[in-house]
């Protein structure tokens, strides 16, 4: 009886924690290696046998990045593009999701199916058509080209996520505003939006991550160094005859920090927003 009790209670717990520990090591080790590699010289990175911890700690790679206006510009571009895409996506997604959640109209189901179907298309298949459109509209190598293109990929999921969250909010909130003489617009921005912070934060985090990490379209739709983003900046450190691995690792660390800070700050809201739509529809 005691052995059976041990197997039914303690053993599954041990196996669960063991699996989590293995998963943690497997996922965290590359990040730890990246961080310590950024503190090595480029020569030490190729030392044999390889060492995790630097023999001589140096921040030369970080100083090189901060002292290079071109590399600093990469971060400014990424912040600007990701920030604008996030803001515009939120506004459009909130208004659209409110319409899907609160109103019945013709072709509603058809539009929902269309939005969902856009998520099944691999972005790389749209590269050539979007490049042609950008050139035709004469916005190639501009912020506008990146912002509009990124919004095409962020909006569908943002609309679905916000619609799922707004479906969890009672319609009595809107009706109370209408009874008091307010409009649907007032109900949305004065009542619905303030109580939808978890869903909005989850949508914002997802959108910012997607825009910040995007590489393919940023590489194709821009050509001047003044418009390159962080992922392109990392790729440019791969020269024809040599790779600046320590600078690549340092830029990767600096590029990951905003995402890490953003997630840690918004973690509570992010988890609530991501799970709300699956609880109630």
């Amino acid at each position: 009886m005691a052995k059976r009790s041990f197997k039914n209670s303690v053993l599954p717990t041990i196996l669960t924690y063991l699996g989590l520990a293995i998963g943690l090591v497997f996922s965290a080790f590359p990040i730890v290696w990246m961080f310590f590699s950024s503190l090595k010289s480029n020569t030490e990175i190729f030392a044999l046998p390889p060492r995790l911890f630097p023999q001589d700690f140096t921040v030369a790679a970080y100083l090189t990045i901060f002292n290079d206006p071109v590399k600093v510009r990469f971060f400014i571009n990424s912040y600007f593009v990701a920030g604008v895409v996030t803001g515009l996506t939120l506004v459009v997604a909130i208004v659209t999701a409110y319409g899907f959640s609160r109103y019945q109209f013709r072709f509603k189901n058809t539009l929902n199916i269309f939005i969902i179907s856009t998520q099944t298309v691999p972005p790389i298949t749209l590269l050539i058509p979007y490049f042609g459109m950008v050139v035709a509209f004469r916005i190639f190598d501009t912020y506008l080209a990146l912002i509009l293109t990124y919004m095409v990929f962020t909006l569908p999921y943002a609309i679905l996520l916000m619609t799922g969250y707004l479906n969890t909010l009672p319609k009595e909130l809107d009706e109370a505003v209408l009874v008091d003489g307010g409009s649907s617009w007032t109900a949305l921005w004065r009542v619905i939006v303030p109580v939808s912070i978890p869903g909005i934060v989850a949508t914002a985090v997802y959108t910012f991550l997607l825009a910040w990490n995007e590489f393919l379209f940023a590489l194709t739709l821009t050509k001047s160094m003044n418009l390159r983003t962080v992922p392109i900046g990392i790729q440019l450190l791969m020269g024809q005859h040599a790779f600046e691995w320590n600078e690549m690792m340092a830029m990767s660390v600096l590029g990951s920090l905003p995402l890490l800070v953003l997630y840690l700050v918004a973690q509570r809201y992010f988890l609530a927003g991501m799970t709300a739509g699956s609880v109630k529809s």
Side-chain angles (χ1 to χ4, degrees), residues 104-146:
Q104 295 295 329
F105 51 89
R106 195 177 182 183
F107 301 122
K108 177 180 177 179
N109 291 334
T110 303
L111 287 174
N112 267 320
I113 294 174
F114 175 76
I115 292 173
I116 294 173
S117 65
T118 59
Q119 297 295 94
T120 65
V121 180
I124 193 172
T125 62
L126 304 176
L127 182 63
I128 295 177
Y130 272 111
F131 178 79
M133 290 178 59
V134 165
V135 172
F137 286 111
R138 299 182 179 180
I139 57 174
F140 176 74
D141 199 32
T142 63
Y143 287 123
L144 184 60
L146 293 180

Side-chain angles (χ1 to χ4, degrees), residues 93-254:
I94 289 172
V95 175
T96 306
Y98 185 74
F100 277 117
S101 176
R102 293 301 194 260
Y103 297 100
Q104 295 295 329
F105 51 89
R106 195 177 182 183
F107 301 122
K108 177 180 177 179
N109 291 334
T110 303
L111 287 174
N112 267 320
I113 294 174
F114 175 76
I115 292 173
I116 294 173
S117 65
T118 59
Q119 297 295 94
T120 65
V121 180
I124 193 172
T125 62
L126 304 176
L127 182 63
I128 295 177
Y130 272 111
F131 178 79
M133 290 178 59
V134 165
V135 172
F137 286 111
R138 299 182 179 180
I139 57 174
F140 176 74
D141 199 32
T142 63
Y143 287 123
L144 184 60
L146 293 180
I147 291 171
L148 293 179
T149 303
Y150 288 178
M151 287 185 65
V152 171
F153 301 109
T154 59
L155 267 176
Y157 187 80
I159 292 173
L160 294 174
L161 188 60
M162 284 304 305
T163 301
Y165 190 85
L166 293 185
N167 285 339
T168 67
L169 302 179
K171 294 184 178 181
E172 286 76 11
L173 293 174
D174 311 63
E175 296 171 356
V177 176
L178 297 177
V179 169
D180 290 338
S183 63
S184 298
W185 195 254
T186 303
L188 172 61
W189 297 108
R190 295 287 183 87
V191 178
I192 301 301
V193 168
V195 299
S196 302
I197 295 301
I200 293 174
V201 170
T203 305
V205 171
Y206 163 80
T207 304
F208 190 89
L209 289 174
L210 188 63
W212 180 274
N213 289 324
E214 205 287 320
F215 173 83
L216 184 61
F217 285 88
L219 178 64
T220 307
L221 302 181
T222 61
K223 65 177 182 179
S224 62
M225 298 298 288
N226 289 333
L227 290 172
R228 298 296 197 183
T229 56
V230 171
I232 308 302
I234 296 174
Q235 187 269 339
L236 290 175
L237 292 173
M238 300 180 184
Q240 182 177 0
H241 302 290
F243 287 10
E244 299 295 336
W245 285 107
N246 57 342
E247 292 185 31
M248 290 171 58
M249 297 297 105
M251 189 170 284
S252 298
V253 171
L254 294 174

Side-chain angles (χ1 to χ4, degrees), residues 49-70:
R51 293 186 297 269
L52 175 61
F53 299 103
Q55 187 174 5
D56 297 313
F57 284 85
T58 176
V59 293
Y62 291 95
L63 293 177
T64 301
I65 293 173
F66 288 130
N67 292 327
D68 189 339
V70 176

